[in-house]
Amino acid sequence: MSGAKATGSDRLRASFDDTGRGLMVLVGVAFWGWLVGRWLYDWTLARVGIGPGAGESFLPSAPFESAAATFEGTVAPIGPIDIPMGWVGTIFDGIALAIDISPALAAGAWYTIVLTGVSIGLGFFIAVPVAVLRVYGGPFRWLSLAYTELIRGTPLLAQLFVLYYGLPLAVWLNDVSVVGQGFVPEYAFWIAIVGFTINGSAYQAEYIRGALESVDEGQLTAARAIGLSRLEGIRYVVLPQTLRYAIPAWTNELVYLIKYSSLAGFITVPELYYRASRIASSTFEYMPIYALLALVYIGIVLSATTLMEYVERRVSVPGIGGAEGRQQGGAE
């Protein structure tokens, strides 16, 4: 009897899981279809004069504004009760606003995604040697410690200001002829890349250091016993395991960078938050604009975490821990 109940419960839970996954896939396809479609249109068709033009909406917002005006201030009598229709009008207003600002949000999302992806990728190549030096560097580990503590101990915004205003990076980059031309972003974007790469590398180095210390020292001893040098043992035995262990922490760092990329707006990088805040300042519709901004951020963050979970499952090694093992343990 109890077995029959457990089976029915499992089937019901599996049905809910399948429905939830299906809805998530549909939402994800719609979200990325909008973003990619918008980018491709602005970069190609809009440049040859096809369609409404770069930065212009595909759909007119006037019908939704008209519908909102119709519903606002009216009531719908249902039996003896009068239902105010202001909320319906607010929904139509929100749709009209979303249509109007969607091109700007899509353009800002491109800067946010590129800034985050490039920074975490470049930061990885700095973080690995810094983490290895911290664990296996002997007296030189203090150099790694000083680097990570200096970067982690100072605000990211202050680091961006130092790079942007305090160093001559802006002058050097501004003298490069291709910077700011065509598809190449302005120099502020490249300075933001440098700042986020340095900041992200310090946090990634700590994540990797923690994963390095979780690998049994006996494995490095065994690697030396079969003839590998210390550096080869770290390269071929310790690091392959370490990088797998560090994926959940990397996911956290990726989410952190996506959200904190908004700080790049303070040095005039036209990323997502920068564009939304400028629109809100000019229209004074702060609440609906920031609500739409939050939806775009959530879409990007959920996509990033889903991608990292997929990577973690793909690279996990059975028997030494990984996403599959944790999921099985949670189901018991």
Side-chain angles (χ1 to χ4, degrees):
M1 184 66 180
S2 60
K5 287 182 178 178
T7 301
S9 174
D10 289 343
R11 289 176 178 172
L12 182 62
R13 184 171 58 186
S15 176
F16 280 123
D17 289 345
D18 291 341
T19 303
R21 278 193 291 270
L23 289 174
M24 288 292 292
V25 170
L26 286 176
V27 172
V29 169
F31 178 74
W32 283 101
W34 162 63
L35 275 182
V36 176
R38 187 73 231 183
W39 296 336
L40 292 178
Y41 171 77
D42 285 347
W43 298 336
T44 56
L45 298 180
R47 291 176 179 270
V48 295
I50 298 176
E56 299 294 331
S57 301
F58 292 136
L59 299 175
S61 60
F64 295 96
E65 293 173 349
S66 176
T70 302
F71 281 103
E72 288 173 352
T74 63
V75 294
I78 300 178
I81 303 175
D82 291 335
I83 305 296
M85 301 301 291
W87 285 15
V88 178
T90 301
I91 292 173
F92 278 112
D93 261 337
I95 295 173
L97 180 64
I99 291 173
D100 287 337
I101 70 172
S102 61
L105 293 182
W110 168 254
Y111 280 87
T112 294
I113 292 169
V114 174
L115 176 61
T116 304
V118 173
S119 298
I120 200 166
L122 295 178
F124 168 79
F125 292 103
I126 300 174
V128 171
V130 169
V132 171
L133 186 67
R134 177 78 182 276
V135 177
Y136 299 105
F140 296 103
R141 68 181 59 188
W142 293 103
L143 295 174
S144 171
L145 177 64
Y147 175 80
T148 54
E149 294 307 317
L150 172 65
I151 301 302
R152 293 196 309 157
T154 53
L156 173 57
L157 186 57
Q159 296 164 14
L160 291 176
F161 282 162
V162 168
L163 292 170
Y164 190 75
Y165 297 111
L167 299 178
L169 285 179
V171 177
W172 296 343
L173 289 170
N174 206 27
D175 289 339
V176 179
S177 59
V178 297
V179 172
Q181 303 295 322
F183 290 100
V184 182
E186 296 285 346
Y187 63 86
F189 177 80
W190 301 107
I191 293 175
I193 289 283
V194 173
F196 279 84
T197 296
I198 294 173
N199 186 271
S201 68
Y203 285 92
Q204 290 187 69
E206 282 300 286
Y207 300 147
I208 296 171
R209 179 182 67 84
L212 277 172
E213 292 175 343
S214 69
V215 177
D216 194 323
E217 289 186 16
Q219 297 196 31
L220 188 55
T221 304
R224 300 294 302 276
I226 63 172
L228 295 179
S229 66
R230 182 178 177 83
L231 188 60
E232 289 173 335
I234 296 171
R235 164 68 179 82
Y236 295 107
V237 177
V238 177
L239 275 181
Q241 299 175 59
T242 296
L243 299 183
R244 289 180 171 87
Y245 293 156
I247 289 178
W250 260 321
T251 304
N252 190 48
E253 174 65 14
L254 183 58
V255 171
Y256 164 85
L257 281 182
I258 291 171
K259 294 185 299 181
Y260 284 86
S261 64
S262 59
L263 295 178
F266 287 91
I267 58 171
T268 71
V269 176
E271 47 72 54
L272 189 54
Y273 177 81
Y274 178 84
R275 292 177 185 261
S277 62
R278 286 178 67 87
I279 296 173
S281 299
S282 61
T283 62
F284 300 103
E285 296 186 275
Y286 291 98
M287 185 64 189
I289 288 175
Y290 284 125
L292 293 170
L293 174 66
L295 290 177
V296 178
Y297 271 117
I298 290 171
I300 297 173
V301 166
L302 289 179
S303 301
T305 53
T306 302
L307 175 63
M308 293 300 288
E309 288 172 359
Y310 172 77
V311 172
E312 186 181 4
R313 287 195 300 271
R314 291 287 297 176
V315 302
S316 65
V317 177
I320 63 170
E324 294 296 334
R326 289 194 295 274
Q327 288 171 2
Q328 290 171 5
E332 289 177 353

